[in-house]
């Protein structure tokens, strides 16, 4: 056989051969002869031509899979949609715990406490789940992957030790410094007196981060003067009776430049990237991060810059994790700033162990891969011959998050969101399909500024970013809500 690259997904029977143009006729004639004379698999060949790259796919019978997804937002909704869009796994059994009203319409939702890891493991065992996927990143820091691994149940995600990349800002910043990964200048503190002596030397504004991400009221705070900095330091570093860990904080410079996200899928040895995402995020009045929308791929990341990100940030991270005995598999996301005051040098702001909601809405529709195969391969720690970037559809995806301003008083008893979504889905059933084939994603009922509100994600995919933006806003505009708010500039950065 000619020198070809075999792309085999671990544990499955499909063979995908990717060949240079020069080898196509030779390989095709071999398969054609064998199938016509009964010497081969005796199956019809489906030939897909993509400019100078050819794929020959040998189809196999449909494989039944059972999937458990832990979470309740639009990220989980987007995953379910992608699984149900599969050509190979045409009828997967999907369970979501706890899910939301929109998901209950299309898959089985299980009402269980997602913080009860033993209960989640019992569900996976009782329902003979083939792959468990975690939407709530905090569960990694509680050891859910360690528990599933011990019980020999396949689960995607990092162990508790590897998940410290997100759960502990103190660990993450030390990790970046130790391994020479480009990041904003920062100083780490454990002592309030040392911090107070240092604060007057700073040039403001600066960003202050707590150590424990999931225990913190605010993930980060921008302080604009010395007085505000002292108050924040006092709040973060004073020991309390209820907190066992040593209080810690990080003071970090604020960089100017384009902020992008590189989402990757890791198998313990390597991390392969998805299309880069430009997200629109900001903190509200209470310091909670607002996910307002996103688009992909972003045009600000050239091939040269992406090569720098790979060489200076992604690959060194994977190598360092292995060196420290923290083998990492699952989603590994890099929030990066192109520092305009340092010749647009990519610098790592933070690690995340999962896609954000908007990231999912614009990444998954562009992915031209069997989602079960790539996720289960990563969980088995063998991405095999998958290439960086994966196969992806040509075009752009854009998501606009729409907030219903008609607040509800009670998260648990909010029937309003159920009725609202039912009416919207009925009205848009044909309209949204005509737009892009992507359903309206339901975030659920979210707490916004101490009130509860329904949040929806309107996503569109088109050949160009301009068309995707137009279609997504048509979908957002068409939502018949009593009142609604959403940003009008999602995608504008990519059009300049």
């Amino acid at each position: 056989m000619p020198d070809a690259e075999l792309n085999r997904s671990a544990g499955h029977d499909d063979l995908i051969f990717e060949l240079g143009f020069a080898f196509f006729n030779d390989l095709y004639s071999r398969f054609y002869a064998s199938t016509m004379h009964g010497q081969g698999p005796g199956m019809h060949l489906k030939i897909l031509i993509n400019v100078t790259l050819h794929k020959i796919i040998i189809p196999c019978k449909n494989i039944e899979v059972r999937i458990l997804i832990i979470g309740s937002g639009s990220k989980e909704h987007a995953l379910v949609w992608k699984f149900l869009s599969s050509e190979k796994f045409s009828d997967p059994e999907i369970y979501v715990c706890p899910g939301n009203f929109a998901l209950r319409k299309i898959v089985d939702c299980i009402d269980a406490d997602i913080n009860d890891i033993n209960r989640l493991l019992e569900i996976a065992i009782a329902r003979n789940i083939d792959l468990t996927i975690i939407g709530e990143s905090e569960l990694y820091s509680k050891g859910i992957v360690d528990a599933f691994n011990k019980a020999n149940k396949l689960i995607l995600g990092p162990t508790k030790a590897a998940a410290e990349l997100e759960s502990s800002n103190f660990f993450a910043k030390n990790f970046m410094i130790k391994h020479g990964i480009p990041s904003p200048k920062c100083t780490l503190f454990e002592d309030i007196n040392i911090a107070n002596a240092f604060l007057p030397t700073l040039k403001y504004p600066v960003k202050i981060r707590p150590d424990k991400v999931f225990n913190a009221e605010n993930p980060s705070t921008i302080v604009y003067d010395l007085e505000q900095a002292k108050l924040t330091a006092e709040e973060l570093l004073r020991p309390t009776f209820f907190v066992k860990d040593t209080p810690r904080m990080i003071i970090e410079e604020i960089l100017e430049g384009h902020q992008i996200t590189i989402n990757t899928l890791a198998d313990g040895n390597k991390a392969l990237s998805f299309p880069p995402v430009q997200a629109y995020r900001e903190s509200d009045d209470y310091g909670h991060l607002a996910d307002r929308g996103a688009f992909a791929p972003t045009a600000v990341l050239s091939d040269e810059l992406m090569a720098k990100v790979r060489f200076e940030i992604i690959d060194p991270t994977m190598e360092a994790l292995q060196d420290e005995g923290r083998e990492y598999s699952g989603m590994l996301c890099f929030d990066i700033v192109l520092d305009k005051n340092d010749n647009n040098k990519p610098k790592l702001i933070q690690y995340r162990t999962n896609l954000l909601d908007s990231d999912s809405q614009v990444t998954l529709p562009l992915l031209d891969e069997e989602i079960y195969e790539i996720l289960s391969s990563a969980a088995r720690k063998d991405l095999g011959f998958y290439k960086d970037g994966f196969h992806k559809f040509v075009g752009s995806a854009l998501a606009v998050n729409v907030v219903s301003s008609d607040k509800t008083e009670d998260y648990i008893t909010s029937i309003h969101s159920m009725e609202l979504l039912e009416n919207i889905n009925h009205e848009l059933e044909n309209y949204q399909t005509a737009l892009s084939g992507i359903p309206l994603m339901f975030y659920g009922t979210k707490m916004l500024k101490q009130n509860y509100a329904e949040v929806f994600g309107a996503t569109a995919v088109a050949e160009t970013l301009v068309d995707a933006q137009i279609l997504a806003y048509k979908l957002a505009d068409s939502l018949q809500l009593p009142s609604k708010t959403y940003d009008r500039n999602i995608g504008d950065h990519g059009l300049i």
Side-chain angles (χ1 to χ4, degrees):
M1 182 177 290
D3 182 18
E5 180 177 31
L6 177 64
N7 184 346
R8 183 193 297 268
S9 298
H12 300 292
D13 298 328
D14 275 7
L15 301 179
I16 303 178
F17 294 92
E18 297 186 356
L19 302 109
F21 191 83
F23 300 127
F24 175 73
N25 289 331
D26 177 62
L27 189 68
Y28 175 70
S29 63
R30 290 169 186 245
F31 273 102
Y32 182 82
S34 66
T35 53
M36 291 299 101
H37 294 88
Q39 300 172 8
M43 300 178 183
H44 294 292
L45 298 177
K46 181 180 180 183
I47 303 170
L48 304 178
I49 300 178
N50 180 13
V51 192
T52 59
L53 190 68
H54 301 268
K55 298 181 189 175
I56 299 180
I57 301 177
I58 306 175
C60 64
K61 63 182 180 180
N62 184 55
I63 299 173
E64 294 183 0
V65 293
R66 297 178 180 86
I67 303 157
L68 174 63
I69 301 174
I70 312 298
S72 59
S74 70
K75 171 172 47 188
E76 292 75 20
H77 197 159
L79 274 169
V80 167
W81 168 80
K82 191 67 176 179
F83 280 120
L84 293 178
S85 301
S86 169
E87 294 183 2
K88 180 174 180 178
F89 305 96
S90 59
D91 191 24
E93 283 186 38
I94 302 176
Y95 303 92
V96 183
C97 177
N100 59 42
F101 173 73
L103 287 170
R104 291 189 193 105
K105 294 289 186 181
I106 53 178
V107 294
D108 290 327
C109 289
I110 303 171
D111 187 15
D113 180 5
I114 64 171
N115 292 305
D116 187 344
I117 292 176
N118 289 331
R119 174 62 179 141
L120 297 177
L121 182 56
E122 288 173 359
I123 292 171
I125 294 172
R127 297 181 184 265
N128 197 23
I129 297 297
D130 296 301
L131 175 64
T132 299
I133 300 169
I134 307 301
E136 301 290 339
S137 297
E138 187 176 359
L139 290 176
Y140 297 135
S141 66
K142 294 181 177 181
I144 188 170
V145 172
D146 306 71
F148 272 62
N149 286 343
K150 189 175 181 179
N152 293 317
K153 292 301 295 181
L154 190 64
I155 184 170
L156 178 69
T159 61
K160 182 177 181 178
E164 278 198 282
L165 280 181
E166 179 178 15
S167 64
S168 171
N169 277 323
F170 209 81
F171 171 81
K173 291 299 178 181
N174 266 321
F175 182 90
M176 295 175 201
I177 295 168
K178 178 181 177 181
H179 298 288
I181 295 169
S183 59
K185 296 175 184 177
C186 68
T187 308
L188 290 65
F189 294 96
E190 296 183 11
D191 186 281
I192 183 64
N193 295 316
I194 296 176
N196 282 335
F198 179 78
L199 292 175
T201 68
L202 294 175
K203 181 180 178 181
Y204 294 91
V206 296
K207 183 178 291 185
I208 298 182
R209 298 177 182 271
D211 176 26
K212 299 300 182 183
V213 173
F214 299 117
N215 293 339
E217 182 179 349
N218 300 331
S220 66
T221 302
I222 296 177
V223 297
Y224 295 91
D225 54 43
L226 177 59
E227 182 180 355
Q228 187 184 6
K230 285 184 175 181
L231 290 172
T232 304
E234 179 78 19
E235 180 183 339
L236 293 178
L237 292 181
R238 285 297 181 196
T240 65
F241 176 79
F242 300 100
V243 179
K244 296 180 180 179
D245 297 322
T246 302
R248 295 167 171 170
M249 77 173 192
I250 298 97
I251 298 178
E252 179 181 286
E253 70 171 331
I254 298 175
L255 301 182
E256 294 182 65
H258 286 287
Q259 297 189 29
I260 55 176
T261 298
I262 307 295
N263 297 306
T264 71
L265 183 62
D267 68 355
N269 295 306
K270 60 184 177 182
L272 305 181
S273 61
F274 295 105
V277 174
Q278 182 112 32
Y280 290 72
R281 302 178 189 122
E282 65 179 15
S283 294
D284 62 22
D285 295 343
Y286 296 89
H288 303 115
L289 192 65
D291 185 3
R292 301 178 295 153
F295 69 90
T298 176
V300 301
L301 195 69
S302 64
D303 290 343
E304 181 182 357
L305 284 174
M306 184 61 207
K308 273 191 173 184
V309 171
R310 163 83 36 203
F311 181 73
E312 297 179 1
I313 298 176
I314 298 176
D315 289 345
T317 294
M318 294 303 297
E319 291 168 7
L321 285 166
Q322 285 184 299
D323 291 343
E324 294 193 6
R326 299 171 186 261
E327 188 179 76
Y328 192 110
S329 62
M331 297 302 306
L332 180 54
C333 309
F334 302 79
D335 287 336
I336 291 168
V337 169
L338 304 179
D339 187 358
K340 77 173 189 179
N341 295 318
D342 191 7
N343 198 29
N344 285 329
K345 180 180 177 65
K347 295 183 180 178
L348 180 62
I349 301 298
Q350 64 185 7
Y351 296 103
R352 285 185 289 101
T353 55
N354 227 325
L355 296 172
L356 295 179
D357 286 308
S358 290
D359 292 1
S360 302
Q361 290 171 230
V362 297
T363 297
L364 295 178
L366 294 176
L367 183 64
D368 185 17
E369 299 278 7
E370 284 291 348
I371 188 67
Y372 177 81
E373 291 188 342
I374 65 170
L375 296 185
S376 60
S377 294
R380 293 187 184 94
K381 299 179 176 57
D382 182 15
L383 281 170
F385 291 89
Y386 283 109
K387 291 182 178 180
D388 188 41
F390 296 99
H391 289 116
K392 53 184 178 292
F393 295 109
V394 176
S396 295
L398 186 141
V400 180
N401 295 333
V402 183
V403 179
S404 169
S405 301
D406 187 22
K407 306 291 191 300
T408 59
E409 295 180 356
D410 192 340
Y411 177 86
I412 301 299
T413 60
S414 175
I415 306 301
H416 177 258
S417 60
M418 300 182 182
E419 297 173 345
L420 188 63
L421 186 70
E422 202 164 40
N423 293 336
I424 289 172
N425 279 343
H426 177 72
E427 293 171 7
L428 298 180
E429 184 174 357
N430 296 322
Y431 182 63
Q432 65 193 25
T433 302
L435 285 179
S436 61
I438 300 175
L440 192 70
M441 301 296 177
F442 185 48
Y443 275 62
T445 307
K446 300 283 186 179
M447 184 174 183
L448 299 173
K449 297 190 178 182
Q450 297 184 331
N451 288 295
Y452 293 104
E454 289 81 19
V455 184
F456 304 88
T459 304
V461 174
E463 291 185 7
T464 67
L465 179 60
V466 174
D467 291 336
Q469 186 187 52
I470 291 171
L471 295 176
Y473 275 106
K474 279 186 177 179
L475 182 55
D477 292 341
S478 69
L479 299 184
Q480 301 299 311
L481 304 175
S483 57
K484 61 187 176 184
T485 58
Y486 51 94
D487 283 14
R488 286 284 181 180
N489 65 336
I490 308 299
D492 287 355
H493 287 91
L495 304 176
I496 298 174

